[in-house]
Amino acid sequence: MTSEVVNKAAKWDETFNQGDTVSLGGLYAPDALVIPAGGSPVKGPEAIGKFFKDLQTNGFSGHKIVVDNVIENGDTLIASGKWQLNGPGENGATKQYGGNWVNVVKRNGSDLQILLHTWN
């Protein structure tokens, strides 16, 4: 597993958890897609940032990604693992959500940009 993917996932968590969804959108390539479980695809950094801002506005916080596997193919990497997120549950209680997570990323110089982000 490459440390650059683990570091990017940690940066994603940190940026989301700080509420900086503008910078979060900046982690994505200009033509990136976020495909939420059961939802419509979201395209481009600005729309992706807004999507995650809406999640935060609805009470979701405390995101954590664990990278379990990385497949490298030239400048493209496919990362998979688990995610967790706290959010509203029944009767105002906090509930922990989670599942499988996949990111397709590309090397852009010394950085990685997310091309595709999906989860279930």
Short mmCIF file of all heavy atoms in Angstrom, two decimals, residues 33-95:
data_model
loop_
_atom_site.label_atom_id
_atom_site.label_comp_id
_atom_site.label_asym_id
_atom_site.label_seq_id
_atom_site.Cartn_x
_atom_site.Cartn_y
_atom_site.Cartn_z
N LEU A 33 -15.82 12.73 -10.23
CA LEU A 33 -17.17 12.33 -9.88
C LEU A 33 -17.20 11.78 -8.46
O LEU A 33 -16.33 11.00 -8.07
CB LEU A 33 -17.67 11.21 -10.80
CG LEU A 33 -18.13 11.57 -12.19
CD1 LEU A 33 -18.49 10.29 -12.96
CD2 LEU A 33 -19.32 12.50 -12.16
N VAL A 34 -18.21 12.18 -7.70
CA VAL A 34 -18.56 11.55 -6.44
C VAL A 34 -19.88 10.83 -6.70
O VAL A 34 -20.83 11.45 -7.20
CB VAL A 34 -18.70 12.58 -5.30
CG1 VAL A 34 -19.40 11.98 -4.09
CG2 VAL A 34 -17.33 13.11 -4.89
N ILE A 35 -19.90 9.54 -6.41
CA ILE A 35 -21.12 8.76 -6.61
C ILE A 35 -21.55 8.21 -5.25
O ILE A 35 -21.04 7.19 -4.78
CB ILE A 35 -20.90 7.62 -7.63
CG1 ILE A 35 -20.39 8.21 -8.95
CG2 ILE A 35 -22.21 6.85 -7.83
CD1 ILE A 35 -20.04 7.18 -9.99
N PRO A 36 -22.47 8.92 -4.59
CA PRO A 36 -22.92 8.48 -3.27
C PRO A 36 -23.78 7.22 -3.37
O PRO A 36 -24.47 7.02 -4.37
CB PRO A 36 -23.75 9.65 -2.74
CG PRO A 36 -23.90 10.61 -3.85
CD PRO A 36 -23.09 10.16 -5.02
N ALA A 37 -23.73 6.41 -2.35
CA ALA A 37 -24.55 5.19 -2.31
C ALA A 37 -26.02 5.57 -2.50
O ALA A 37 -26.58 6.36 -1.74
CB ALA A 37 -24.36 4.47 -0.99
N GLY A 38 -26.63 5.07 -3.56
CA GLY A 38 -28.05 5.32 -3.81
C GLY A 38 -28.37 6.72 -4.29
O GLY A 38 -29.54 7.06 -4.44
N GLY A 39 -27.36 7.55 -4.55
CA GLY A 39 -27.61 8.93 -4.95
C GLY A 39 -27.15 9.22 -6.36
O GLY A 39 -26.55 8.38 -7.03
N SER A 40 -27.44 10.42 -6.80
CA SER A 40 -27.03 10.86 -8.13
C SER A 40 -25.57 11.30 -8.11
O SER A 40 -25.10 11.86 -7.12
CB SER A 40 -27.89 12.04 -8.57
OG SER A 40 -29.23 11.66 -8.66
N PRO A 41 -24.84 11.07 -9.20
CA PRO A 41 -23.45 11.52 -9.28
C PRO A 41 -23.32 13.04 -9.14
O PRO A 41 -24.21 13.78 -9.57
CB PRO A 41 -23.00 11.06 -10.67
CG PRO A 41 -23.93 9.95 -11.02
CD PRO A 41 -25.23 10.31 -10.39
N VAL A 42 -22.23 13.46 -8.55
CA VAL A 42 -21.90 14.87 -8.37
C VAL A 42 -20.59 15.10 -9.11
O VAL A 42 -19.62 14.37 -8.90
CB VAL A 42 -21.75 15.22 -6.88
CG1 VAL A 42 -21.43 16.68 -6.69
CG2 VAL A 42 -23.00 14.82 -6.10
N LYS A 43 -20.53 16.12 -9.98
CA LYS A 43 -19.36 16.30 -10.84
C LYS A 43 -18.69 17.65 -10.59
O LYS A 43 -19.36 18.68 -10.55
CB LYS A 43 -19.75 16.20 -12.32
CG LYS A 43 -18.55 16.26 -13.24
CD LYS A 43 -18.95 15.99 -14.67
CE LYS A 43 -17.69 15.95 -15.53
NZ LYS A 43 -17.97 15.62 -16.90
N GLY A 44 -17.37 17.59 -10.46
CA GLY A 44 -16.56 18.79 -10.36
C GLY A 44 -16.32 19.26 -8.93
O GLY A 44 -17.16 19.04 -8.06
N PRO A 45 -15.18 19.87 -8.68
CA PRO A 45 -14.78 20.27 -7.33
C PRO A 45 -15.78 21.16 -6.59
O PRO A 45 -16.04 20.96 -5.41
CB PRO A 45 -13.45 20.99 -7.54
CG PRO A 45 -12.90 20.41 -8.79
CD PRO A 45 -14.10 20.14 -9.65
N GLU A 46 -16.36 22.14 -7.28
CA GLU A 46 -17.28 23.06 -6.60
C GLU A 46 -18.55 22.34 -6.15
O GLU A 46 -18.99 22.48 -5.00
CB GLU A 46 -17.63 24.23 -7.53
CG GLU A 46 -18.46 25.29 -6.83
CD GLU A 46 -18.73 26.50 -7.72
OE1 GLU A 46 -17.90 26.79 -8.62
OE2 GLU A 46 -19.76 27.15 -7.50
N ALA A 47 -19.13 21.54 -7.04
CA ALA A 47 -20.34 20.79 -6.69
C ALA A 47 -20.05 19.74 -5.62
O ALA A 47 -20.88 19.49 -4.73
CB ALA A 47 -20.93 20.14 -7.94
N ILE A 48 -18.87 19.13 -5.68
CA ILE A 48 -18.49 18.13 -4.68
C ILE A 48 -18.34 18.79 -3.31
O ILE A 48 -18.83 18.28 -2.30
CB ILE A 48 -17.21 17.40 -5.12
CG1 ILE A 48 -17.51 16.51 -6.33
CG2 ILE A 48 -16.61 16.59 -3.97
CD1 ILE A 48 -16.30 15.94 -7.04
N GLY A 49 -17.68 19.95 -3.26
CA GLY A 49 -17.57 20.68 -2.00
C GLY A 49 -18.94 21.01 -1.42
O GLY A 49 -19.18 20.85 -0.23
N LYS A 50 -19.87 21.45 -2.28
CA LYS A 50 -21.23 21.78 -1.83
C LYS A 50 -21.94 20.53 -1.32
O LYS A 50 -22.65 20.58 -0.31
CB LYS A 50 -22.02 22.42 -2.95
CG LYS A 50 -23.42 22.84 -2.51
CD LYS A 50 -24.23 23.43 -3.65
CE LYS A 50 -25.63 23.82 -3.25
NZ LYS A 50 -26.33 22.98 -2.33
N PHE A 51 -21.76 19.40 -2.00
CA PHE A 51 -22.38 18.15 -1.57
C PHE A 51 -21.97 17.82 -0.13
O PHE A 51 -22.81 17.51 0.72
CB PHE A 51 -21.98 17.01 -2.51
CG PHE A 51 -22.39 15.65 -2.03
CD1 PHE A 51 -23.66 15.18 -2.26
CD2 PHE A 51 -21.50 14.85 -1.32
CE1 PHE A 51 -24.06 13.92 -1.80
CE2 PHE A 51 -21.87 13.60 -0.86
CZ PHE A 51 -23.16 13.13 -1.10
N PHE A 52 -20.66 17.91 0.15
CA PHE A 52 -20.19 17.57 1.49
C PHE A 52 -20.57 18.65 2.51
O PHE A 52 -20.80 18.35 3.68
CB PHE A 52 -18.69 17.28 1.48
CG PHE A 52 -18.39 15.95 0.84
CD1 PHE A 52 -17.72 15.87 -0.37
CD2 PHE A 52 -18.79 14.76 1.44
CE1 PHE A 52 -17.46 14.65 -0.98
CE2 PHE A 52 -18.55 13.53 0.85
CZ PHE A 52 -17.88 13.47 -0.36
N LYS A 53 -20.68 19.90 2.09
CA LYS A 53 -21.16 20.97 2.97
C LYS A 53 -22.60 20.68 3.39
O LYS A 53 -22.97 20.85 4.56
CB LYS A 53 -21.06 22.33 2.27
CG LYS A 53 -21.53 23.47 3.11
CD LYS A 53 -20.59 23.69 4.27
CE LYS A 53 -20.92 24.93 5.05
NZ LYS A 53 -20.10 25.04 6.26
N ASP A 54 -23.42 20.22 2.44
CA ASP A 54 -24.80 19.86 2.76
C ASP A 54 -24.86 18.73 3.77
O ASP A 54 -25.70 18.74 4.68
CB ASP A 54 -25.57 19.47 1.48
CG ASP A 54 -25.85 20.65 0.57
OD1 ASP A 54 -25.67 21.82 1.00
OD2 ASP A 54 -26.22 20.41 -0.60
N LEU A 55 -23.96 17.75 3.67
CA LEU A 55 -23.91 16.67 4.66
C LEU A 55 -23.63 17.24 6.05
O LEU A 55 -24.28 16.87 7.03
CB LEU A 55 -22.83 15.64 4.31
CG LEU A 55 -23.14 14.60 3.26
CD1 LEU A 55 -21.95 13.67 3.08
CD2 LEU A 55 -24.38 13.80 3.62
N GLN A 56 -22.64 18.14 6.12
CA GLN A 56 -22.30 18.74 7.41
C GLN A 56 -23.46 19.55 7.96
O GLN A 56 -23.75 19.49 9.16
CB GLN A 56 -21.05 19.60 7.27
CG GLN A 56 -19.81 18.79 7.01
CD GLN A 56 -18.60 19.64 6.72
OE1 GLN A 56 -18.71 20.78 6.29
NE2 GLN A 56 -17.43 19.07 6.94
N THR A 57 -24.14 20.28 7.11
CA THR A 57 -25.29 21.08 7.53
C THR A 57 -26.38 20.19 8.11
O THR A 57 -27.11 20.59 9.01
CB THR A 57 -25.84 21.90 6.34
OG1 THR A 57 -24.80 22.78 5.88
CG2 THR A 57 -27.05 22.72 6.72
N ASN A 58 -26.47 18.96 7.61
CA ASN A 58 -27.46 18.01 8.11
C ASN A 58 -26.98 17.21 9.31
O ASN A 58 -27.61 16.23 9.70
CB ASN A 58 -27.89 17.07 6.98
CG ASN A 58 -28.77 17.78 5.97
OD1 ASN A 58 -29.66 18.53 6.34
ND2 ASN A 58 -28.51 17.58 4.70
N GLY A 59 -25.85 17.60 9.90
CA GLY A 59 -25.41 17.02 11.16
C GLY A 59 -24.40 15.89 11.06
O GLY A 59 -24.16 15.20 12.06
N PHE A 60 -23.77 15.71 9.91
CA PHE A 60 -22.78 14.65 9.77
C PHE A 60 -21.39 15.19 10.07
O PHE A 60 -21.02 16.28 9.63
CB PHE A 60 -22.84 14.03 8.38
CG PHE A 60 -24.09 13.23 8.16
CD1 PHE A 60 -25.23 13.82 7.65
CD2 PHE A 60 -24.13 11.89 8.50
CE1 PHE A 60 -26.40 13.09 7.47
CE2 PHE A 60 -25.28 11.14 8.33
CZ PHE A 60 -26.43 11.74 7.81
N SER A 61 -20.61 14.41 10.83
CA SER A 61 -19.26 14.83 11.25
C SER A 61 -18.44 13.61 11.63
O SER A 61 -18.93 12.49 11.67
CB SER A 61 -19.37 15.78 12.44
OG SER A 61 -19.93 15.09 13.56
N GLY A 62 -17.17 13.87 11.94
CA GLY A 62 -16.30 12.81 12.45
C GLY A 62 -15.97 11.73 11.42
O GLY A 62 -15.99 10.54 11.75
N HIS A 63 -15.65 12.13 10.20
CA HIS A 63 -15.36 11.16 9.14
C HIS A 63 -13.99 10.51 9.35
O HIS A 63 -13.04 11.16 9.73
CB HIS A 63 -15.38 11.86 7.78
CG HIS A 63 -15.50 10.91 6.64
ND1 HIS A 63 -14.41 10.25 6.11
CD2 HIS A 63 -16.58 10.49 5.95
CE1 HIS A 63 -14.83 9.48 5.12
NE2 HIS A 63 -16.14 9.60 5.00
N LYS A 64 -13.92 9.21 9.05
CA LYS A 64 -12.66 8.46 9.18
C LYS A 64 -12.58 7.42 8.07
O LYS A 64 -13.48 6.61 7.91
CB LYS A 64 -12.58 7.78 10.54
CG LYS A 64 -11.38 6.88 10.73
CD LYS A 64 -10.10 7.67 10.83
CE LYS A 64 -8.93 6.74 11.12
NZ LYS A 64 -7.72 7.15 10.48
N ILE A 65 -11.49 7.48 7.29
CA ILE A 65 -11.21 6.51 6.24
C ILE A 65 -10.08 5.60 6.70
O ILE A 65 -9.09 6.07 7.25
CB ILE A 65 -10.77 7.20 4.93
CG1 ILE A 65 -11.88 8.10 4.39
CG2 ILE A 65 -10.35 6.17 3.88
CD1 ILE A 65 -11.41 9.04 3.29
N VAL A 66 -10.23 4.30 6.45
CA VAL A 66 -9.16 3.33 6.66
C VAL A 66 -8.87 2.71 5.29
O VAL A 66 -9.76 2.08 4.69
CB VAL A 66 -9.54 2.24 7.68
CG1 VAL A 66 -8.45 1.19 7.78
CG2 VAL A 66 -9.84 2.86 9.03
N VAL A 67 -7.67 2.92 4.78
CA VAL A 67 -7.27 2.37 3.49
C VAL A 67 -6.77 0.94 3.71
O VAL A 67 -5.84 0.72 4.49
CB VAL A 67 -6.17 3.23 2.83
CG1 VAL A 67 -5.75 2.62 1.49
CG2 VAL A 67 -6.63 4.67 2.66
N ASP A 68 -7.40 -0.02 3.03
CA ASP A 68 -7.02 -1.43 3.16
C ASP A 68 -6.21 -1.94 1.98
O ASP A 68 -5.43 -2.87 2.13
CB ASP A 68 -8.28 -2.31 3.29
CG ASP A 68 -9.01 -2.09 4.59
OD1 ASP A 68 -8.37 -1.76 5.61
OD2 ASP A 68 -10.26 -2.26 4.58
N ASN A 69 -6.42 -1.36 0.80
CA ASN A 69 -5.80 -1.90 -0.40
C ASN A 69 -5.58 -0.79 -1.42
O ASN A 69 -6.41 0.10 -1.55
CB ASN A 69 -6.71 -2.98 -1.00
CG ASN A 69 -6.04 -3.75 -2.10
OD1 ASN A 69 -4.87 -4.13 -2.01
ND2 ASN A 69 -6.77 -4.01 -3.17
N VAL A 70 -4.46 -0.86 -2.14
CA VAL A 70 -4.17 0.07 -3.23
C VAL A 70 -3.64 -0.72 -4.41
O VAL A 70 -2.71 -1.51 -4.26
CB VAL A 70 -3.15 1.16 -2.82
CG1 VAL A 70 -2.82 2.07 -4.00
CG2 VAL A 70 -3.64 1.97 -1.63
N ILE A 71 -4.24 -0.50 -5.57
CA ILE A 71 -3.76 -1.09 -6.82
C ILE A 71 -3.18 0.05 -7.64
O ILE A 71 -3.85 1.06 -7.86
CB ILE A 71 -4.92 -1.76 -7.60
CG1 ILE A 71 -5.54 -2.87 -6.76
CG2 ILE A 71 -4.43 -2.28 -8.94
CD1 ILE A 71 -6.86 -3.39 -7.33
N GLU A 72 -1.93 -0.11 -8.09
CA GLU A 72 -1.29 0.92 -8.89
C GLU A 72 -1.23 0.47 -10.34
O GLU A 72 -0.91 -0.67 -10.63
CB GLU A 72 0.13 1.18 -8.39
CG GLU A 72 0.19 1.85 -7.05
CD GLU A 72 1.59 2.32 -6.70
OE1 GLU A 72 2.15 3.13 -7.47
OE2 GLU A 72 2.11 1.86 -5.68
N ASN A 73 -1.53 1.42 -11.24
CA ASN A 73 -1.42 1.18 -12.67
C ASN A 73 -0.90 2.48 -13.29
O ASN A 73 -1.67 3.36 -13.66
CB ASN A 73 -2.78 0.79 -13.25
CG ASN A 73 -2.69 0.41 -14.71
OD1 ASN A 73 -1.65 0.56 -15.35
ND2 ASN A 73 -3.79 -0.08 -15.26
N GLY A 74 0.42 2.59 -13.35
CA GLY A 74 1.03 3.83 -13.83
C GLY A 74 0.72 4.97 -12.88
O GLY A 74 0.92 4.87 -11.68
N ASP A 75 0.17 6.07 -13.42
CA ASP A 75 -0.18 7.24 -12.60
C ASP A 75 -1.58 7.15 -12.01
O ASP A 75 -2.04 8.10 -11.37
CB ASP A 75 -0.06 8.52 -13.44
CG ASP A 75 1.39 8.92 -13.63
OD1 ASP A 75 2.25 8.47 -12.86
OD2 ASP A 75 1.65 9.70 -14.57
N THR A 76 -2.26 6.03 -12.21
CA THR A 76 -3.61 5.84 -11.66
C THR A 76 -3.54 4.83 -10.52
O THR A 76 -2.87 3.80 -10.64
CB THR A 76 -4.57 5.33 -12.75
OG1 THR A 76 -4.58 6.27 -13.83
CG2 THR A 76 -5.97 5.17 -12.21
N LEU A 77 -4.20 5.16 -9.43
CA LEU A 77 -4.25 4.28 -8.26
C LEU A 77 -5.70 4.06 -7.88
O LEU A 77 -6.51 5.00 -7.93
CB LEU A 77 -3.49 4.89 -7.08
CG LEU A 77 -2.01 5.15 -7.32
CD1 LEU A 77 -1.80 6.59 -7.74
CD2 LEU A 77 -1.23 4.87 -6.07
N ILE A 78 -6.02 2.84 -7.50
CA ILE A 78 -7.35 2.50 -7.03
C ILE A 78 -7.21 2.10 -5.57
O ILE A 78 -6.51 1.14 -5.25
CB ILE A 78 -7.98 1.35 -7.84
CG1 ILE A 78 -8.03 1.73 -9.33
CG2 ILE A 78 -9.37 1.01 -7.30
CD1 ILE A 78 -8.32 0.58 -10.24
N ALA A 79 -7.85 2.88 -4.71
CA ALA A 79 -7.76 2.64 -3.26
C ALA A 79 -9.12 2.16 -2.76
O ALA A 79 -10.16 2.66 -3.19
CB ALA A 79 -7.34 3.91 -2.54
N SER A 80 -9.08 1.21 -1.83
CA SER A 80 -10.33 0.75 -1.23
C SER A 80 -10.11 0.53 0.26
O SER A 80 -8.98 0.37 0.73
CB SER A 80 -10.82 -0.54 -1.91
OG SER A 80 -9.87 -1.58 -1.73
N GLY A 81 -11.20 0.55 0.98
CA GLY A 81 -11.14 0.36 2.42
C GLY A 81 -12.50 0.58 3.04
O GLY A 81 -13.53 0.29 2.44
N LYS A 82 -12.48 1.12 4.24
CA LYS A 82 -13.70 1.34 5.02
C LYS A 82 -13.82 2.82 5.37
O LYS A 82 -12.84 3.55 5.43
CB LYS A 82 -13.66 0.54 6.33
CG LYS A 82 -13.49 -0.94 6.15
CD LYS A 82 -14.75 -1.57 5.66
CE LYS A 82 -14.58 -3.10 5.64
NZ LYS A 82 -15.50 -3.73 4.76
N TRP A 83 -15.04 3.27 5.61
CA TRP A 83 -15.30 4.63 6.08
C TRP A 83 -16.26 4.58 7.25
O TRP A 83 -17.04 3.63 7.40
CB TRP A 83 -15.87 5.51 4.96
CG TRP A 83 -17.24 5.07 4.48
CD1 TRP A 83 -17.50 4.13 3.53
CD2 TRP A 83 -18.51 5.51 4.97
NE1 TRP A 83 -18.85 3.96 3.38
CE2 TRP A 83 -19.50 4.80 4.26
CE3 TRP A 83 -18.91 6.42 5.93
CZ2 TRP A 83 -20.87 4.99 4.48
CZ3 TRP A 83 -20.27 6.61 6.15
CH2 TRP A 83 -21.22 5.91 5.42
N GLN A 84 -16.18 5.61 8.10
CA GLN A 84 -17.10 5.80 9.22
C GLN A 84 -17.45 7.27 9.29
O GLN A 84 -16.63 8.14 8.95
CB GLN A 84 -16.47 5.40 10.55
CG GLN A 84 -16.18 3.95 10.69
CD GLN A 84 -15.55 3.65 12.05
OE1 GLN A 84 -15.17 4.54 12.79
NE2 GLN A 84 -15.44 2.37 12.36
N LEU A 85 -18.66 7.55 9.74
CA LEU A 85 -19.14 8.91 9.84
C LEU A 85 -20.22 8.97 10.91
O LEU A 85 -21.07 8.08 10.97
CB LEU A 85 -19.71 9.36 8.49
CG LEU A 85 -20.30 10.74 8.36
CD1 LEU A 85 -19.21 11.80 8.50
CD2 LEU A 85 -20.99 10.90 7.00
N ASN A 86 -20.19 9.98 11.74
CA ASN A 86 -21.23 10.19 12.74
C ASN A 86 -22.31 11.08 12.16
O ASN A 86 -22.02 12.02 11.42
CB ASN A 86 -20.65 10.84 13.99
CG ASN A 86 -19.61 9.98 14.66
OD1 ASN A 86 -19.76 8.77 14.75
ND2 ASN A 86 -18.54 10.59 15.10
N GLY A 87 -23.56 10.77 12.51
CA GLY A 87 -24.66 11.58 12.01
C GLY A 87 -25.90 11.38 12.86
O GLY A 87 -25.89 10.64 13.84
N PRO A 88 -26.96 12.06 12.47
CA PRO A 88 -28.19 12.00 13.24
C PRO A 88 -28.82 10.61 13.18
O PRO A 88 -28.85 9.98 12.13
CB PRO A 88 -29.09 13.05 12.60
CG PRO A 88 -28.47 13.38 11.29
CD PRO A 88 -27.06 12.95 11.32
N GLY A 89 -29.28 10.18 14.34
CA GLY A 89 -29.99 8.91 14.45
C GLY A 89 -31.38 9.15 14.99
O GLY A 89 -31.88 10.29 15.01
N GLU A 90 -32.00 8.11 15.47
CA GLU A 90 -33.36 8.21 16.00
C GLU A 90 -33.39 9.03 17.30
O GLU A 90 -32.47 8.96 18.11
CB GLU A 90 -33.91 6.81 16.27
CG GLU A 90 -34.14 6.02 14.99
CD GLU A 90 -34.76 4.66 15.28
OE1 GLU A 90 -35.50 4.53 16.28
OE2 GLU A 90 -34.49 3.74 14.50
N ASN A 91 -34.45 9.77 17.46
CA ASN A 91 -34.71 10.56 18.67
C ASN A 91 -33.56 11.48 19.03
O ASN A 91 -33.27 11.70 20.21
CB ASN A 91 -35.04 9.64 19.85
CG ASN A 91 -36.26 8.78 19.58
OD1 ASN A 91 -37.23 9.25 18.98
ND2 ASN A 91 -36.22 7.53 20.01
N GLY A 92 -32.86 12.02 18.03
CA GLY A 92 -31.79 12.97 18.27
C GLY A 92 -30.47 12.37 18.69
O GLY A 92 -29.51 13.09 18.96
N ALA A 93 -30.41 11.05 18.79
CA ALA A 93 -29.15 10.39 19.18
C ALA A 93 -28.16 10.42 18.01
O ALA A 93 -28.56 10.49 16.85
CB ALA A 93 -29.41 8.94 19.58
N THR A 94 -26.87 10.38 18.33
CA THR A 94 -25.85 10.28 17.30
C THR A 94 -25.69 8.83 16.90
O THR A 94 -25.64 7.94 17.75
CB THR A 94 -24.50 10.84 17.81
OG1 THR A 94 -24.68 12.21 18.14
CG2 THR A 94 -23.42 10.71 16.77
N LYS A 95 -25.62 8.60 15.61
CA LYS A 95 -25.49 7.24 15.08
C LYS A 95 -24.19 7.18 14.28
O LYS A 95 -23.80 8.15 13.64
CB LYS A 95 -26.67 6.93 14.17
CG LYS A 95 -26.62 5.55 13.55
CD LYS A 95 -27.85 5.28 12.70
CE LYS A 95 -27.70 3.92 12.02
NZ LYS A 95 -28.85 3.60 11.20
#
